[in-house]
Amino acid sequence: MKPDSRPSIGLALGGGAARGWAHIGVILALEEYGIKPDIVCGTSIGALVGAAYSAGKIGQFKEWAVGLTIKNVISFMDIALNGGMLKGERLMGFFRQNFIDCPIEDMKLPFGAVATELHTGAEVWLRSGSTLDAVRASIALPGLFSPVWHSGRLLVDGGLVNPVPVSLARAMGADILIAVDLSADTLGRHLVQESAHASRPGSPGYEWVRKMKSDFGVFLSADDKAGRQLPSMLDVVASSLNIMQVRITRSRMAGEPPDIIISPKLAHLGLLDFHQAQQAIEAGRRSVELCLPALRDLRL
């Protein structure tokens, strides 16, 4: 409990690539209804949005996200030769210059991020030191972003072990826990949605595949013996990650249930549809409205 006897509210923000912009809508809607988290934790894109919120810059962050165009998204794609397809240096350099560049200990709200140690598979909680370094480790999606060295450990995306970090928020002292799960409606629909987005000319996924083919001469899609078109490598990676996150999230939440689960409907968004922020934000807002009766029952 907090000193004023009000229960501490924890917010656990899950991973989900471009679907993560829904976290912005969730946060803004919660505040509009008078619910202000005391503790914020995030995995992957949840760590990025959570860091912006904990730093007191969620309004500025929203304006930037809504203004993203396909050209902007592609400009952050710095191709890597090993470890992952993207180095992530352009993206982190942008955030260092414009949003988040302070120690986690100095954030306005207590903040934690989740990453995974690549060598051992251990879950790593990042609660001190550079905020940007913690976020960069948490978003190191295998196959997409290169892993990063952090305090002598090689770290990748926290979604491999804890897609919605309820356990971290509890450990940081949350009495009431609100979890935001971005993967709840993707199972069974993921491959159709991802393929449609990645194959659409002008989409980030399409442009990324085209760039990879141009730069490295690789073929990212193929036909099977029956003449059917196989998904591109991006489709397979994205769909596999969706399956993994859904299964792990269900298992973790069964053993560590939050008090409220907010699940924006986001299956229509592709892995790299970061230019569709407004849609995702509105989905986040709507999901909070649907949960209002349950939130009010907790007397927050």
Side-chain angles (χ1 to χ4, degrees):
M1 284 288 189
K2 294 169 61 62
D4 60 6
S5 296
R6 181 175 68 83
S8 294
I9 301 172
L11 183 63
L13 304 176
R19 299 177 182 117
W21 294 154
H23 290 316
I24 300 172
V26 168
I27 289 168
L28 295 176
L30 287 174
E31 288 210 333
E32 287 171 8
Y33 289 111
I35 301 169
K36 297 184 179 181
D38 304 292
I39 296 165
V40 181
C41 300
T43 293
S44 196
I45 189 69
L48 178 59
V49 178
Y53 181 48
S54 297
K57 296 188 176 181
I58 194 65
Q60 181 184 353
F61 190 83
K62 176 197 171 186
E63 290 180 8
W64 170 76
V66 170
L68 279 176
T69 64
I70 292 177
K71 185 177 180 180
N72 297 142
V73 175
I74 295 170
S75 73
F76 288 123
M77 295 181 180
D78 45 1
I79 301 298
L81 295 177
N82 54 26
M85 292 187 180
L86 304 178
K87 291 181 286 187
E89 293 175 0
R90 291 180 187 171
L91 182 63
M92 289 300 103
F94 176 84
F95 285 113
R96 181 175 290 106
Q97 191 171 24
N98 293 277
F99 291 110
I100 315 155
D101 190 17
C102 67
I104 291 175
E105 298 90 332
D106 294 341
M107 301 284 265
K108 293 184 177 181
L109 291 174
F111 171 74
V114 178
T116 305
E117 187 172 7
L118 189 59
H119 289 116
T120 66
E123 181 176 339
V124 179
W125 291 352
L126 302 170
R127 297 179 53 188
S128 61
S130 167
T131 300
L132 272 181
D133 287 350
V135 169
R136 175 62 182 86
S138 190
I139 69 170
L141 194 65
L144 182 60
F145 283 110
S146 301
V148 293
W149 287 101
H150 188 282
S151 300
R153 295 179 291 189
L154 189 60
L155 302 183
V156 292
D157 196 297
L160 296 180
V161 291
N162 197 352
V164 185
V166 171
S167 54
L168 175 54
R170 293 285 191 204
M172 290 175 64
D175 300 309
I176 295 176
L177 204 289
I178 301 170
V180 186
D181 178 12
L182 304 178
S183 305
D185 69 332
T186 58
L187 202 59
R189 301 171 64 186
H190 52 276
L191 192 56
V192 173
Q193 297 292 343
E194 295 292 354
S195 296
H197 282 270
S199 62
R200 187 176 63 239
S203 71
Y206 179 89
E207 295 298 331
W208 184 29
V209 169
R210 188 176 62 81
K211 183 175 178 60
M212 288 294 293
K213 287 182 178 179
S214 173
D215 289 353
F216 299 108
V218 295
F219 292 93
L220 301 183
S221 62
D223 295 326
D224 69 3
K225 292 180 180 179
R228 295 168 298 191
Q229 181 72 20
L230 294 177
S232 72
M233 184 179 74
L234 178 61
D235 297 335
V236 174
V237 169
S239 301
S240 300
L241 289 169
N242 283 337
I243 293 170
M244 178 197 72
Q245 289 209 334
V246 169
R247 296 300 186 187
I248 296 174
T249 299
R250 288 178 180 176
S251 177
R252 292 294 298 257
M253 283 192 181
E256 302 163 331
D259 296 282
I260 297 287
I261 301 176
I262 296 175
S263 301
K265 303 302 181 184
L266 299 162
H268 61 289
L269 291 181
L271 180 74
L272 297 178
D273 279 349
F274 291 100
H275 62 297
Q276 301 287 352
Q278 192 61 53
Q279 286 188 39
I281 291 169
E282 289 306 314
R285 285 184 176 276
R286 288 193 298 271
S287 66
V288 171
E289 292 170 0
L290 291 173
C291 290
L292 272 181
L295 290 165
R296 286 170 176 157
D297 283 347
L298 293 174
R299 299 180 181 178
L300 299 179

